[in-house]
């Protein structure tokens, strides 16, 4: 066993993801201490060789790498702010879901207490942890990352993003935007084709081919965005707008929901009105980069709101409140 494999690790939080993290460290040969608010969740890991800690303070030791993966950033502060938790001299790696502002604030909070702090995001499901398919994003001080990169490699493919502690959370959010957009587009097409008796399984291979083809456009489109120049090498935005109108008409004629294509066309129409009709589709980055119209009803209200082109008396449509699925934690 080499020195890196022998690095002691503490894992705070033993939800499905936290258990997967601890198990990966154990399998890689790291002496692993575990803590969870509900102690019974540690039983299986203890049977595999983990050391249970009765308190957070007992779990955290100066010089030991501490990985925390709990429900949210409030739980992070509650756990690390426990009376017996001494953070001075520790290295904290926070893999809890949250936003970039929370990540930066928590970095300041931890560093003010003498800890070294890295914020991260897990772009994986628990079953892939410990394999190359699990992508672990990290942001914070480069030297802190370099020291612990070998140990973190037990979890999967680890990628350092930069010194801004909020970058991992921003990448996480950007990845969710991509995931949901691809899935929603597929569901739109599936709903449309089902009206003609085509099942989802038949459409899926075609949709996968389209998605892969569109993915090939991204590097070239990224160059246009970074240059701020959008020559119509494939098609002009005004051509895409006509196709959007066709999708809306086809959806409405089939009796399926057309809110998504109407939303996209509304953004494209604004870009055309601003004089970008002869440019290529990535020029829409100008629309995506603007603040949207805020719903007047707060997100904490009994119903969350989605604004669209057919407003109710609040200027919004309603749907039941729901929380988007995040990583599987406590």
């Amino acid at each position: 066993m080499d020195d890196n494999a022998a690095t002691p690790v503490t894992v705070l939080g033993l939800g499905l993801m936290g258990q997967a993290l601890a198990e990966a460290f154990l399998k890689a040969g790291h002496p692993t201490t575990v803590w969870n608010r509900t102690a019974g969740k540690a039983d299986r890991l203890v049977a595999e060789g983990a050391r249970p800690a009765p308190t957070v303070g007992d779990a955290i030791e100066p010089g030991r790498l501490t990985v925390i993966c709990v429900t949210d950033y409030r739980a992070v502060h509650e756990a690390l702010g426990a009376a017996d938790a001494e953070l001075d001299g520790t290295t904290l790696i926070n893999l809890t879901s949250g936003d970039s502002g929370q990540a930066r604030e928590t970095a300041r909070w931890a560093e003010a207490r003498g800890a070294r702090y890295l914020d991260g995001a897990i772009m994986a499901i628990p079953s892939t942890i410990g394999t190359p398919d699990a992508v672990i994003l990290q942001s914070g001080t480069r030297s802190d990352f370099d020291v612990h990169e070998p140990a973190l490699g037990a979890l999967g493919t680890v990628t350092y993003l930069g010194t801004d502690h909020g970058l991992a959370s921003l990448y996480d959010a950007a990845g969710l935007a991509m995931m949901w957009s691809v899935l929603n587009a597929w569901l739109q097409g599936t709903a449309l084709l089902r009206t003609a008796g085509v099942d989802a399984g038949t459409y899926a291979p075609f949709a996968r081919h389209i998605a892969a083809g569109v993915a090939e456009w991204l590097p070239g489109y990224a160059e246009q965005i970074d240059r701020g120049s959008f020559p119509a090498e494939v098609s002009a935005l005004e051509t895409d707008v006509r196709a959007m109108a066709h999708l809306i008409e086809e959806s409405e004629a089939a009796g399926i929901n057309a809110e998504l294509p109407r939303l996209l066309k509304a953004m494209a129409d604004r870009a055309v009105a601003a004089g970008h009709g002869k440019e290529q589709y990535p020029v829409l980055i100008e629309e995506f980069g603007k603040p949207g119209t805020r719903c007047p009803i707060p997100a904490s209200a009994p119903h969350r709101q989605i604004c669209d082109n057919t407003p109710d008396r609040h200027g919004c449509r309603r749907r039941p409140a729901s929380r988007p699925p995040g990583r599987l934690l406590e």
Side-chain angles (χ1 to χ4, degrees), residues 201-261:
T202 300
Y203 173 49
F206 176 81
R208 185 177 182 181
H209 176 74
I210 294 294
V214 172
E216 292 298 315
W217 302 348
L218 299 184
Y221 280 10
E223 289 180 7
Q224 290 193 342
I225 291 171
D226 291 341
R227 288 197 313 264
S229 175
F230 307 94
E233 299 166 351
V234 176
S235 68
L237 182 61
E238 60 188 13
T239 301
D240 290 312
V241 168
R242 289 194 291 272
M244 291 173 186
H246 170 63
L247 174 58
I248 293 168
E249 292 163 3
E250 192 75 72
S251 298
E252 290 176 340
I256 71 165
N257 193 306
E259 290 174 79
L260 180 59

Side-chain angles (χ1 to χ4, degrees), residues 66 68 73 76-77 91-108 110-111 116-122 136-141 144-145 152 158-172 327:
T66 298
I68 184 165
Y73 276 73
V76 170
H77 286 265
T91 298
L92 298 175
I93 296 183
N94 185 15
L95 297 179
T96 299
S97 295
D99 62 46
S100 58
Q102 291 174 316
R104 296 181 186 112
E105 190 278 328
T106 302
R108 292 190 293 269
E111 290 170 351
R116 297 180 180 277
Y117 181 88
L118 292 167
D119 205 271
I122 303 172
I136 312 296
L137 305 179
Q138 290 283 280
S139 52
T141 303
D144 294 338
F145 171 78
L152 291 171
V158 184
T159 301
Y160 175 76
L161 300 174
T163 58
D164 178 357
H165 287 92
L167 276 175
S169 290
L170 283 175
Y171 267 77
D172 191 14
R327 290 189 283 279

Side-chain angles (χ1 to χ4, degrees), residues 8-26 30-37 41-42 45 50-53 55-56 58-61 64-70 79-80 91-93 95 122 129 152 155 329-330:
V9 177
T10 288
V11 176
L12 304 179
L14 299 177
L16 294 179
M17 186 61 80
Q19 290 185 43
L21 298 174
E23 187 170 25
F25 282 127
L26 284 169
H30 296 275
T32 304
T33 298
V34 295
W35 172 88
N36 192 72
R37 184 178 53 201
K41 288 189 176 182
L45 294 165
R51 180 181 79 88
T55 68
V56 173
D58 183 65
I60 297 177
E61 298 176 10
R64 177 187 288 268
L65 174 63
T66 298
V67 176
I68 184 165
C69 185
V70 291
L80 297 179
T91 298
L92 298 175
I93 296 183
L95 297 179
I122 303 172
I129 296 297
L152 291 171
L155 304 179
L329 305 171
E330 289 190 303

Side-chain angles (χ1 to χ4, degrees), residues 252-320:
E252 290 176 340
I256 71 165
N257 193 306
E259 290 174 79
L260 180 59
R262 282 203 302 268
L263 173 62
L264 297 175
K265 185 175 182 297
M267 296 181 72
D269 284 341
R270 290 196 296 270
V272 171
H276 300 297
K278 302 295 183 183
E279 296 176 274
Q280 196 155 260
Y281 197 86
V283 74
L284 278 179
I285 189 66
E286 306 299 337
E287 290 299 318
F288 278 98
K290 297 175 183 177
T293 302
R294 278 189 172 274
C295 174
I297 299 177
S300 59
H303 289 78
R304 299 188 67 168
Q305 315 298 322
I306 300 178
C307 297
D308 71 358
N309 294 329
T310 55
D312 64 8
R313 63 188 179 86
H314 301 290
C316 306
R317 289 177 60 92
R318 292 179 177 264
R319 67 173 174 131

Side-chain angles (χ1 to χ4, degrees), residues 29 41 46 56 67 81 135 148-150 175 184 192 268-269 313 322 324-325:
K41 288 189 176 182
V46 171
V56 173
V67 176
V135 175
H148 296 290
E149 181 181 10
N184 288 339
L192 184 60
D269 284 341
R313 63 188 179 86
S322 62

